[in-house]
Structures are given as C-alpha cells and as structure tokens.
Amino acid sequence: MGLRGLTALDATLLPSLAGGKLSLVVAGKTVFDRSAPADDDLAGWADATSAMDDAAWAISAPVRAAGSQGVVQRYFDEIFSHMDAYSRYEPPASAESERDTLSGTSGAGIGLVREPDALGVSHATRSGASHVAIGDVVPGGSGEAAGLRVGDRILAVDDHRTLRMSPQRIAGLIQGPDGTTVTLLVRGRDGQRRSISVVRTQVPPETVFTGRDGGLLLIRITAFSANTAQRLSQAIEAGLLDPAAPRALVLDLRGNRGGFLREAVTAVALVLDRGLVVSTMGRAPQSTHEWRVEGGDLTHGLPILVLVDGRTASAAEIMAAALADQRRAVVLGSSTLGKGLVQAITQLPDGGELFVTWSRVLAPLGWPIQGQGVLPQVCTSLGDDELRVELDALAGGHDTLAAALAASRAARAPLTTAQILAVRDLCPAAEGSDGDLFAAHAVAERHGAYEAALLPETLGTAP
C-alpha cells in the first residue's frame, strides 16, 4: 500500500487498512479514520489518500520537511518496491530532463562553437571579445531552411547582443517554446550581415556519428531518439557513396542505453530485408505483440558487425539480438546489460512520470533478453590471448562460443539466476575497448571468419 510511504518519512506514522477501514495511528492515537472506498473507485481512493496525507502533514514535521514532492516520491517508492526493479516514479525535474534527452529541445537546429582566429587562439583569449559561430546545422531543420550556414557568426539573438557570451549562453537564448520565432543577426563568411528569423522546432539530439577505419564504415549510435533511424539511413547512404567502398559496416552500440523501441525497429529495417525483429509478452493480451519488417536492406547484403558492451541496454540490445538471430550480423564485445522489459509511461499532472513494466522482450529466436542480455558471437572481454584463439578458430571455420550461443538461444523465460550466470560468465560484461575494433577488423578481413561467426542455421530459423 502506497500510504506506508508515510512511515518511511516518519516512523511514528502507522497507516493501515483493516476491516474495511482506512486509518492513521500516531503513538496509539487514531488521527484519521475513514471507510475504505471500493477497489475500483479510483476517485474515492484519490480523495481518501489526499485526506490521510493532509492529516499526516498537520502533525508531522518530517512530512512537512519532505514537502509534497517528497510525499509523492515515497508513496510510489512503496508501491513499486513490491513490483520489479525497473518500475518507478520519476519526479518532474528528472522526467523533463529525460524527455529532452530523447525528444530534444525546441530551437533553430544549429550547434554553436567558439570561433578561433587564424592563429588558433580564441578571440576571447586574445582580445576579451568572444566570437561564437555556427559549427553545424541539422539537415532538414528550421535553421537550414531559413538560410543559416556553418561558419555564420552570431552577433545577436533577438534584442540581445552576444559579444562575450559563451556558446552555452547563446544556445539558451535561441531555445524557447515550440513554434515561436527567434531572430538571429549573423555575419556570414562573406562578411555580410543578415537578420534571419527562424521558427523554433523540436530538435532531436544527435545520436548517429560516422567515420572510416580502413575498410570499415563506422557508425556509432549513442541512443534511439526521435530521429535516430532517419539519421542512420542518411549515414549509411552517404557512407556507401564513398569511392572506396567499405568492406563491412560496423554499428557501434557500446554504451547505448536504449530509447524508443520503434526507432530501434525502424533502424533494423534499414539493413534487414524482412523478418521478425522482436516480440513482447505479458499478462494482459494487449501486451503481446510482434514487430516485423519487410522491404529494404540499404546495404545490399554488406557484412555487418555490431559492437556491444556491458552498458548496451534495452532498445540497443533489441537491435543487436535481432540482427544476430536473423543471421544478418556478427555481434562482438561482451555480454550486454540485460534490460529486456517494455514499460508503459504515464505523465502525471505534476509533470512527473510513472514507468510501469508492461511486458517481457523476446528476441526473434524466442529467448528473453531480460537478465541474460545478448551473448556476442565474438567475445573480447576474456583478454587478448583468448581473443586471438577465438579469431584463429573463426578463420578456420569454427566458433569457440558455439555451445554457449546455442545455450543462450535455447533459454526460455523465466530464467533462474544460475541459468543466467551460466551463460553470462562465458563472456563477462565489460566496458568497450580498442580490442572490439581490432576484432571487427579481423572478422571482416580474414577469409571465412565472418561466415563462421554468424549464428548457425541449426539453432533454428528466426520467423
């Protein structure tokens, strides 16, 4: 019962529900007493809960010291302590921060940098005057559409001159309510001043970063936010236009804590022609669902290597598991975090949010991600000597983790702790290292290694 959260704030407060009565006792004296509402009377319970809280507030200094937010936090902490480790209440400030992280903030779709002079010394250092310029422009964003360009120097934001302001301060001035207009006075590379009005729009954070390392096209995905799949599509298409065609695509998911499930599914669809990506299963019929994709491998079968580590979680684990089970990629690194639960998110009137576990995530071959995590086909967390043995075996057409991979794919929920550890201990979770990229090069470049590292068809064909 959530009202026991009052006891956590003040040990002298003893709420109880017995004999159809809801009461609050302090030092043997009943200070609140009311008939309990019917189980399905939500309004009645809300009223009764508020009334008991008022009674506790009136007599308890610790409750008043905690404030209304503290009472709410303790209320939900008590409820969720009897559920699972992931259901929780997020107070308004942290909930807003999390929403901004995934959805972005409303602004002009530009990034700002302090502009160095020809000697590489910032103007702020040389003369006390700080010049801030546009360092990047989000493709398709409102700033690009309005005519802002990389290199434009920001002279003013609305009526605020920006001389001696930091890039962070200027960015704060540019941000504002979605749909409103901000006017920037800029000086272009041609020396001309221009006044440009930009409609503020939601700007998702950048989560996709590209590079090349020899024959590998490297794409790092740091989270699955509102436009991750779109940016991944652009990155793949741009990378494949390089005159030096890549030998393989590396998707780096190390440290990726997840994000929007649908973005992860859409990202998988960019490199998988068709098939099951993930399924969910819960107690309620509405919680059971399958996500399938069909119709478009942008890479046309280019070998894919997925880098993971012990911090790879949630939606990122779903992507890695799907590409491995569908024999579309080789996963390298260490066992991942093992967060395979879908949560329903409800925003409360105070701006806080409830995260309630709704269903369990199952990989295409039917095994649970929760607890077990994704076991990579190439393990880099056992040391350099073990890694070289494994890579030599792959070059010879044999995967030393074959038995472990078969056991992980045969697992079915619910799993005991012993079952989970028996799989995870074969490739302990670790933070990503340079060995991951070394292994990716070896698998991509040594004849037959990639094919040997793919999951064998004998494990079963993902639907």
Side-chain angles (χ1 to χ4, degrees), residues 224-309:
F224 288 95
S225 66
N227 72 339
T228 297
Q230 177 187 356
R231 300 291 288 128
L232 177 59
S233 173
Q234 294 167 346
I236 292 174
E237 291 179 341
L240 296 180
L241 291 176
D242 193 314
R247 180 189 295 269
L249 167 63
V250 174
L251 297 176
D252 187 353
L253 302 180
R254 294 174 298 178
N256 185 320
R257 307 295 285 185
F260 295 133
L261 172 60
R262 292 189 180 277
E263 283 295 307
V265 172
T266 304
V268 171
L270 299 175
V271 295
L272 179 67
D273 275 331
R274 62 181 57 84
L276 178 65
V277 174
V278 66
S279 60
T280 59
M281 183 175 296
R283 293 188 181 93
Q286 310 96 295
S287 66
T288 299
H289 189 73
E290 289 187 345
W291 279 267
R292 294 177 174 274
V293 299
E294 183 174 355
D297 178 4
L298 296 181
T299 73
H300 305 291
L302 186 70
I304 297 177
L305 304 163
V306 180
L307 305 186
V308 299
D309 66 4

Side-chain angles (χ1 to χ4, degrees), residues 347-352:
Q347 189 167 346
L348 301 179
D350 68 350

Side-chain angles (χ1 to χ4, degrees), residues 338-354:
K339 186 177 184 295
L341 299 174
V342 175
Q343 293 182 302
I345 304 175
T346 302
Q347 189 167 346
L348 301 179
D350 68 350
E353 290 180 336
L354 295 182

